[in-house]
Amino acid sequence: MIRFVDAHVHPPVPAFLNGPVAPYRDQLASSLEHPIIEMDPASLAGFYRERAGMAVLLGWDTESATRLRPLGNEDIAGLVASAPDVFVGMGAVDPRKGAQAVAEVHAAARLGLKGISLHPVAQGFDPADRANFPVWETAAGHDLVCLFHTGSTRLGAGSAGGAGLRLGRGRPLAVDVIAAEYPELQIVIAHSGALWREEVLHIAAHKANVAICLSDQPPQQLDAEWRDAITSTLATRVVFGSDFPFGSPDRWLDAWAALGLPEDATRRVLRDNAIELLGLDGAA
């Protein structure tokens, strides 16, 4: 039986760590409490099997900003095919590519991926810019989930100018615009909107098509308002994510257990909500 679904995993394969994230790798490593270890697909699958977990693998396309080859839809689909009992895929789309971005949304659907992963800060785009709306409209038409990295980011942190990355592009209110325009589109606000966490709670409470991924949100830092929302108003729309390999699923799950929240809330956040959101038939 699946114990948890980690809804936010960056595959620590060489194509990612030595590819699109390479410019930030040394800086990232210096900011973490644990080393970033490269893993092949079999090792990554084994890591999650040992823990009775599933991993939602996120694509990454910052090509317009970095000129580096993305970890794209075909890459993610290949990883999922290597261990379909453990891996679930979300594709990569760079909205700055215009018509090509729309084509990549179609490709993600054709490849059987469950959604697309966006990082407005790293990709350098404004989600609320109407020029990007064809991407969201196409995703909605394919019933693909759109996961947005929001809030602050480790990328470029501590460097002069933050490596040129603008945190304002990660403000959750931009995602709220999309949720209002496309009520049929399922949206996930990842990283709990760090910097704007109160804003995220209000957006999710207001928009039933918005879910929250607790990636990079240490459970011990969840205040009373967050705990109340998780166990009541947003009980079916909060999912667990570790941000692996930059975060640790083991450390996160241990901290969550220490909160002593009701068993049904734990089951929903760690497993059931993600299964429903991503349509993982048979995973329960």
Coordinates of all heavy atoms in Angstrom, one line a residue, residues 234-278:
L234 N -9.6 23.6 4.0 CA -8.7 23.1 2.9 C -8.3 21.7 3.1 O -7.3 21.2 2.5 CB -7.5 24.0 2.8 CG -7.7 25.5 2.5 CD1 -6.4 26.2 2.4 CD2 -8.6 25.7 1.3
A235 N -9.1 20.9 3.8 CA -8.8 19.5 4.1 C -8.5 18.7 2.9 O -7.6 17.8 2.9 CB -9.9 18.9 4.9
T236 N -9.1 18.9 1.7 CA -9.0 18.1 0.6 C -8.1 18.7 -0.5 O -7.9 18.2 -1.6 CB -10.3 17.8 -0.1 OG1 -10.9 19.1 -0.5 CG2 -11.3 17.1 0.9
R237 N -7.4 19.9 -0.1 CA -6.6 20.6 -1.1 C -5.2 21.0 -0.7 O -4.7 22.0 -1.1 CB -7.4 21.8 -1.6 CG -8.6 21.4 -2.5 CD -9.3 22.6 -3.2 NE -10.1 23.4 -2.2 CZ -10.0 24.7 -2.0 NH1 -9.1 25.3 -2.7 NH2 -10.8 25.3 -1.2
V238 N -4.7 20.2 0.2 CA -3.3 20.4 0.6 C -2.5 19.1 0.4 O -3.0 18.0 0.8 CB -3.2 20.8 2.1 CG1 -1.7 20.9 2.5 CG2 -3.9 22.1 2.3
V239 N -1.4 19.1 -0.3 CA -0.6 17.9 -0.5 C 0.9 18.1 0.0 O 1.4 19.2 0.1 CB -0.6 17.6 -2.0 CG1 -2.0 17.4 -2.5 CG2 0.1 18.7 -2.9
F240 N 1.5 17.0 0.2 CA 2.9 16.9 0.7 C 3.8 17.0 -0.5 O 3.6 16.4 -1.5 CB 3.1 15.6 1.5 CG 4.5 15.1 1.5 CD1 5.5 15.9 2.0 CD2 4.8 13.9 1.0 CE1 6.8 15.5 2.0 CE2 6.1 13.4 1.0 CZ 7.1 14.2 1.5
G241 N 4.9 17.7 -0.3 CA 6.0 17.7 -1.3 C 7.3 18.0 -0.6 O 7.3 18.8 0.4
S242 N 8.4 17.3 -1.0 CA 9.6 17.4 -0.2 C 10.6 18.3 -0.9 O 11.6 18.8 -0.3 CB 10.3 16.0 -0.1 OG 10.8 15.6 -1.4
D243 N 10.5 18.6 -2.2 CA 11.4 19.4 -3.0 C 12.7 18.6 -3.1 O 13.8 19.1 -3.3 CB 11.7 20.7 -2.4 CG 12.3 21.7 -3.4 OD1 12.1 21.6 -4.6 OD2 13.0 22.7 -2.9
F244 N 12.7 17.2 -3.1 CA 13.8 16.4 -3.2 C 14.5 16.7 -4.6 O 13.8 16.9 -5.6 CB 13.4 14.9 -3.2 CG 14.5 13.9 -3.2 CD1 15.2 13.7 -2.0 CD2 14.9 13.2 -4.3 CE1 16.2 12.8 -1.9 CE2 15.9 12.3 -4.3 CZ 16.6 12.1 -3.1
P245 N 15.8 16.7 -4.7 CA 16.8 16.4 -3.7 C 17.3 17.6 -2.8 O 18.2 17.4 -2.0 CB 18.0 15.9 -4.6 CG 17.9 16.8 -5.7 CD 16.4 17.0 -6.0
F246 N 16.6 18.7 -3.0 CA 17.0 19.9 -2.2 C 16.4 19.8 -0.8 O 16.8 20.5 0.1 CB 16.6 21.2 -3.0 CG 17.0 21.1 -4.4 CD1 16.1 21.2 -5.4 CD2 18.3 21.0 -4.7 CE1 16.5 21.2 -6.8 CE2 18.8 21.0 -6.0 CZ 17.8 21.0 -7.1
G247 N 15.3 19.1 -0.7 CA 14.7 18.8 0.6 C 14.7 17.3 0.9 O 15.0 16.5 0.0
S248 N 14.4 16.9 2.1 CA 14.4 15.5 2.5 C 13.1 15.0 2.9 O 12.4 15.5 3.8 CB 15.4 15.4 3.7 OG 15.2 14.1 4.3
P249 N 12.5 14.0 2.1 CA 11.2 13.5 2.5 C 11.2 12.9 3.9 O 10.3 13.0 4.6 CB 10.9 12.5 1.4 CG 12.2 12.2 0.8 CD 13.1 13.4 0.9
D250 N 12.3 12.2 4.3 CA 12.4 11.6 5.6 C 12.3 12.6 6.7 O 11.6 12.5 7.7 CB 13.7 10.8 5.7 CG 13.8 9.6 4.8 OD1 12.8 9.1 4.4 OD2 14.9 9.2 4.5
R251 N 13.1 13.7 6.6 CA 13.1 14.8 7.6 C 11.7 15.4 7.7 O 11.2 15.7 8.7 CB 14.1 15.8 7.3 CG 14.3 16.8 8.4 CD 15.4 17.8 8.0 NE 16.7 17.1 7.8 CZ 17.3 17.2 6.6 NH1 16.9 17.9 5.6 NH2 18.5 16.6 6.5
W252 N 11.1 15.7 6.5 CA 9.8 16.3 6.5 C 8.7 15.4 7.1 O 7.9 15.9 7.9 CB 9.4 16.6 5.0 CG 8.3 17.6 4.9 CD1 8.4 19.0 4.6 CD2 6.9 17.4 5.0 NE1 7.2 19.6 4.5 CE2 6.2 18.7 4.8 CE3 6.1 16.3 5.3 CZ2 4.8 18.8 4.9 CZ3 4.7 16.5 5.4 CH2 4.1 17.7 5.1
L253 N 8.7 14.2 6.8 CA 7.7 13.2 7.3 C 7.8 13.1 8.8 O 6.8 13.0 9.5 CB 7.8 11.9 6.6 CG 7.3 11.9 5.1 CD1 7.7 10.6 4.4 CD2 5.8 12.2 5.0
D254 N 9.1 13.0 9.3 CA 9.3 12.9 10.7 C 8.7 14.2 11.4 O 8.1 14.1 12.5 CB 10.8 12.8 11.0 CG 11.3 11.4 10.7 OD1 10.5 10.4 10.5 OD2 12.5 11.2 10.6
A255 N 9.0 15.3 10.9 CA 8.5 16.6 11.5 C 7.0 16.6 11.4 O 6.3 17.1 12.4 CB 9.1 17.8 10.7
W256 N 6.4 16.1 10.4 CA 4.9 16.1 10.3 C 4.3 15.2 11.3 O 3.4 15.6 12.0 CB 4.5 15.6 8.9 CG 3.0 15.5 8.7 CD1 2.3 14.4 9.0 CD2 2.1 16.5 8.3 NE1 0.9 14.7 8.8 CE2 0.8 16.0 8.4 CE3 2.2 17.9 8.0 CZ2 -0.3 16.7 8.1 CZ3 1.1 18.6 7.6 CH2 -0.2 18.0 7.7
A257 N 4.9 14.0 11.5 CA 4.4 13.1 12.5 C 4.4 13.7 13.9 O 3.6 13.4 14.7 CB 5.2 11.8 12.5
A258 N 5.4 14.6 14.2 CA 5.6 15.2 15.5 C 4.5 16.2 15.8 O 4.3 16.6 16.9 CB 6.9 15.9 15.6
L259 N 3.8 16.6 14.7 CA 2.7 17.6 15.0 C 1.5 17.0 15.7 O 0.7 17.7 16.3 CB 2.2 18.2 13.6 CG 3.2 19.0 12.8 CD1 2.5 19.5 11.5 CD2 3.7 20.2 13.6
G260 N 1.3 15.7 15.5 CA 0.2 15.0 16.2 C -1.2 15.4 15.6 O -2.2 15.4 16.4
L261 N -1.3 15.7 14.3 CA -2.5 16.0 13.7 C -3.4 14.8 13.6 O -2.9 13.7 13.6 CB -2.3 16.7 12.3 CG -1.6 18.1 12.4 CD1 -1.4 18.6 10.9 CD2 -2.4 19.1 13.2
P262 N -4.7 14.9 13.4 CA -5.6 13.8 13.3 C -5.2 12.9 12.1 O -4.7 13.3 11.1 CB -7.0 14.4 13.0 CG -6.9 15.8 13.6 CD -5.5 16.2 13.4
E263 N -5.4 11.6 12.3 CA -5.0 10.6 11.4 C -5.6 10.8 10.0 O -4.9 10.6 9.0 CB -5.3 9.2 11.9 CG -4.9 8.1 10.9 CD -5.2 6.7 11.5 OE1 -5.5 6.6 12.7 OE2 -5.2 5.7 10.7
D264 N -6.8 11.2 10.0 CA -7.5 11.4 8.7 C -6.8 12.6 7.9 O -6.7 12.6 6.7 CB -9.0 11.6 8.8 CG -9.4 12.9 9.6 OD1 -8.6 13.2 10.5 OD2 -10.4 13.4 9.4
A265 N -6.4 13.7 8.6 CA -5.8 14.8 8.0 C -4.4 14.4 7.4 O -4.0 14.7 6.3 CB -5.6 15.9 9.0
T266 N -3.7 13.5 8.2 CA -2.4 13.0 7.7 C -2.6 12.2 6.5 O -1.8 12.3 5.5 CB -1.7 12.2 8.8 OG1 -1.3 13.1 9.9 CG2 -0.5 11.5 8.3
R267 N -3.6 11.3 6.5 CA -3.8 10.5 5.3 C -4.1 11.3 4.1 O -3.6 11.0 3.0 CB -4.9 9.5 5.6 CG -5.1 8.5 4.5 CD -6.3 7.5 4.8 NE -7.6 8.2 4.9 CZ -8.2 8.4 6.0 NH1 -7.7 8.0 7.2 NH2 -9.3 9.1 6.1
R268 N -4.9 12.4 4.2 CA -5.3 13.2 3.1 C -4.1 14.0 2.6 O -3.8 14.0 1.3 CB -6.4 14.2 3.5 CG -7.7 13.5 3.7 CD -8.8 14.6 3.7 NE -8.7 15.5 4.8 CZ -9.2 15.4 6.0 NH1 -10.0 14.4 6.3 NH2 -9.0 16.3 6.9
V269 N -3.3 14.6 3.5 CA -2.2 15.4 3.0 C -1.1 14.6 2.4 O -0.5 14.9 1.4 CB -1.6 16.3 4.2 CG1 -0.3 16.9 3.8 CG2 -2.7 17.3 4.6
L270 N -0.8 13.5 3.0 CA 0.4 12.6 2.6 C 0.0 11.8 1.3 O 0.9 11.4 0.6 CB 0.9 11.7 3.7 CG 1.4 12.4 4.9 CD1 2.1 11.4 5.8 CD2 2.3 13.6 4.6
R271 N -1.3 11.5 1.1 CA -1.6 10.5 0.1 C -2.9 10.9 -0.7 O -2.8 11.1 -1.9 CB -1.7 9.1 0.7 CG -1.8 8.0 -0.4 CD -2.1 6.7 0.3 NE -3.5 6.7 0.8 CZ -4.0 5.6 1.3 NH1 -3.3 4.5 1.4 NH2 -5.3 5.7 1.8
D272 N -4.0 10.9 0.0 CA -5.3 10.8 -0.7 C -5.5 12.1 -1.6 O -6.1 11.9 -2.7 CB -6.4 10.7 0.3 CG -6.4 9.4 1.0 OD1 -5.6 8.5 0.6 OD2 -7.2 9.2 1.9
N273 N -5.1 13.2 -1.1 CA -5.4 14.5 -1.9 C -4.6 14.4 -3.2 O -5.2 14.8 -4.3 CB -5.0 15.7 -1.1 CG -6.0 16.0 0.1 OD1 -7.1 15.4 0.1 ND2 -5.6 16.8 1.0
A274 N -3.4 14.0 -3.2 CA -2.6 13.9 -4.4 C -3.1 12.9 -5.4 O -3.1 13.1 -6.6 CB -1.1 13.6 -4.1
I275 N -3.6 11.7 -4.8 CA -4.1 10.7 -5.7 C -5.4 11.2 -6.4 O -5.5 11.0 -7.6 CB -4.5 9.5 -4.8 CG1 -3.2 8.7 -4.4 CG2 -5.4 8.5 -5.6 CD1 -3.5 7.6 -3.4
E276 N -6.2 12.0 -5.7 CA -7.4 12.5 -6.4 C -7.0 13.6 -7.3 O -7.6 13.7 -8.5 CB -8.4 13.0 -5.3 CG -9.7 13.6 -5.9 CD -10.7 14.0 -4.8 OE1 -10.4 13.8 -3.7 OE2 -11.7 14.6 -5.2
L277 N -6.2 14.5 -6.9 CA -5.8 15.6 -7.8 C -5.2 15.2 -9.1 O -5.5 15.7 -10.2 CB -4.8 16.5 -7.0 CG -4.2 17.7 -7.8 CD1 -5.2 18.8 -8.0 CD2 -2.9 18.3 -7.1
L278 N -4.3 14.1 -9.0 CA -3.6 13.7 -10.2 C -4.3 12.5 -10.9 O -3.7 12.0 -11.9 CB -2.2 13.3 -9.8 CG -1.3 14.5 -9.3 CD1 0.0 14.0 -8.7 CD2 -1.1 15.6 -10.3

